[in-house]
Amino acid sequence: MDVHGRDLRYFTSVAEELSFTRAAERLFVSQPALSKQIRMLEKQLGVVLFERDRRTVRLSAAGEALLPHARAVLAAWQAAEAAVEEAKTAERCTLVIGMSTSPGRGLLPALRTRLVSRHPDARPVLCQVNWADPTAGLADGSSDVAFVWLPLPDEDRYQYAVVAREPRLVALPDGHPLAARAASDPEGKVDFTDLLDEPFLALPTEAGPLRDYWLALDARDGRQPRIGGVVASAEETHEAVAGGQGVVLLATGNAPLIVRDEVIAVPVRGISPSQLAVAACQNDKRTLVLAYLAAAREVGATIC
């Protein structure tokens, strides 16, 4: 049988007040409506819950038996409502931030400070995403906002704020001939044309236009790159460069992730600077998402 929580609440109020008049006032309903609801409950249960006359209302034996269980059900439902509300609040306050590698550059604390100053209940949660996903979780919804490198695939689907513009370097194994050439250059750089015959490490093909960007296809005059290997993490990249599989372009701010133990990096002349952005889906208008983007624009204005 299906008994509504409202019926149990009405029954419990009458049982505690032992007065239909006072119970109706407590429930903010009319007395006739309350009496009708109790009669319907009694009919549904097939018992008399209250013994009443003109002056008194008393619980019947069946009413006495029902009361503790009715109270327990109502208390359990109240706890369930509280748990649901807590979950709703947590979901509303949680902001999942996707990234393929730590953005560094002081960006995370700077953005968090701005976000929390405006939304003290905000709970930023970091989410590491494989390099095969250039949207860092935005495309499949696993991230609310994300640190991404431009260009994005299907760029019209996203809104973003650039937070860093940096020259691109080339990571080389220590002792590579181009390292000596950079050392003799007045600006300490190598020309990208000097790299055209080098094997390059590439992002997975799923990275789409971002793979092309880090291979600098736009600076090759139609010459296809030699692919020495595919990498999907900073550690893989370091090991591949150190092992002589190929060279790799990287943003200046990401050099510390790769440059160590037999791997060096030198600036490259003749290619565009890299752009790191904070992005979200174009149609996402949630408060915390827009607040994080606004914070990114503020931070980007001071850095870029």
Side-chain angles (χ1 to χ4, degrees):
M1 85 182 50
D2 296 323
V3 175
H4 294 290
R6 177 197 58 194
D7 299 330
L8 295 180
R9 188 166 63 254
Y10 283 9
F11 162 72
T12 302
S13 296
V14 176
E16 291 173 350
E17 297 291 343
L18 292 179
S19 165
F20 278 80
T21 300
R22 290 194 298 272
E25 292 173 351
R26 171 175 160 183
L27 293 165
F28 300 101
V29 298
S30 68
Q31 183 176 332
L34 176 59
S35 297
K36 178 181 178 181
Q37 206 64 42
I38 293 297
R39 285 196 300 272
M40 291 175 62
L41 178 61
E42 289 177 323
K43 182 178 180 181
Q44 188 173 4
L45 295 176
V47 295
V48 173
L49 297 173
F50 297 100
E51 296 172 356
R52 26 198 177 312
D53 56 35
R54 287 189 170 185
R55 294 188 176 185
T56 61
V57 175
R58 299 185 304 277
L59 279 166
S60 67
E64 292 279 6
L66 176 60
L67 182 57
H69 298 287
R71 283 172 169 159
V73 169
L74 292 173
W77 181 246
Q78 187 176 24
E81 287 182 315
V84 169
E85 192 60 35
E86 184 178 346
K88 283 169 57 181
T89 299
E91 183 176 5
R92 187 170 59 248
C93 294
T94 298
L95 185 72
V96 180
I97 304 168
M99 59 189 68
S100 55
T101 56
S102 174
R105 303 163 179 84
L107 291 170
L108 285 175
L111 292 177
R112 181 188 179 93
T113 297
R114 283 169 170 77
L115 177 69
V116 174
S117 69
R118 295 163 190 167
H119 301 278
D121 293 333
R123 190 167 67 94
V125 176
L126 305 181
C127 176
Q128 196 81 20
V129 180
N130 188 279
W131 286 8
D133 179 5
T135 72
L138 294 178
D140 65 9
S142 57
S143 299
D144 300 315
V145 295
F147 286 90
V148 298
W149 291 100
L150 301 182
L152 280 166
D154 302 320
E155 193 164 292
D156 290 345
R157 293 179 54 195
Y158 305 101
Q159 51 185 325
Y160 60 81
V162 175
V163 291
R165 289 185 177 90
E166 300 173 341
R168 282 185 282 178
L169 312 178
V170 60
L172 309 163
D174 193 14
H176 192 286
L178 287 176
R181 185 173 300 182
S184 64
D185 184 84
E187 297 179 339
K189 298 180 179 180
V190 294
D191 291 313
F192 184 70
T193 53
D194 294 331
L195 296 169
L196 291 177
D197 294 326
E198 295 289 329
F200 269 69
L201 301 177
L203 293 176
T205 54
E206 298 93 323
L210 198 60
R211 172 187 166 105
D212 296 344
Y213 179 77
W214 290 106
L215 290 172
L217 293 193
D218 60 335
R220 292 179 177 271
D221 293 327
R223 291 180 59 177
Q224 290 300 307
R226 292 173 55 203
I227 305 300
V230 175
V231 289
S233 71
E235 192 58 37
E236 283 183 20
T237 304
H238 169 80
E239 293 298 328
V241 174
Q245 285 184 249
V247 302
V248 67
L249 295 175
L250 67 159
T252 301
N254 279 2
L257 300 174
I258 310 297
V259 177
R260 64 183 191 279
D261 303 333
E262 303 177 351
V263 174
I264 64 170
V266 298
V268 181
R269 186 187 293 113
I271 54 175
S272 60
S274 61
Q275 296 187 91
L276 178 64
V278 170
C281 291
Q282 185 68 255
N283 60 354
D284 196 337
K285 306 302 180 185
R286 287 175 293 168
T287 299
L288 290 186
V289 169
L290 296 181
Y292 203 78
L293 283 170
R297 291 187 186 97
E298 292 174 8
V299 170
T302 66
I303 294 176
C304 297

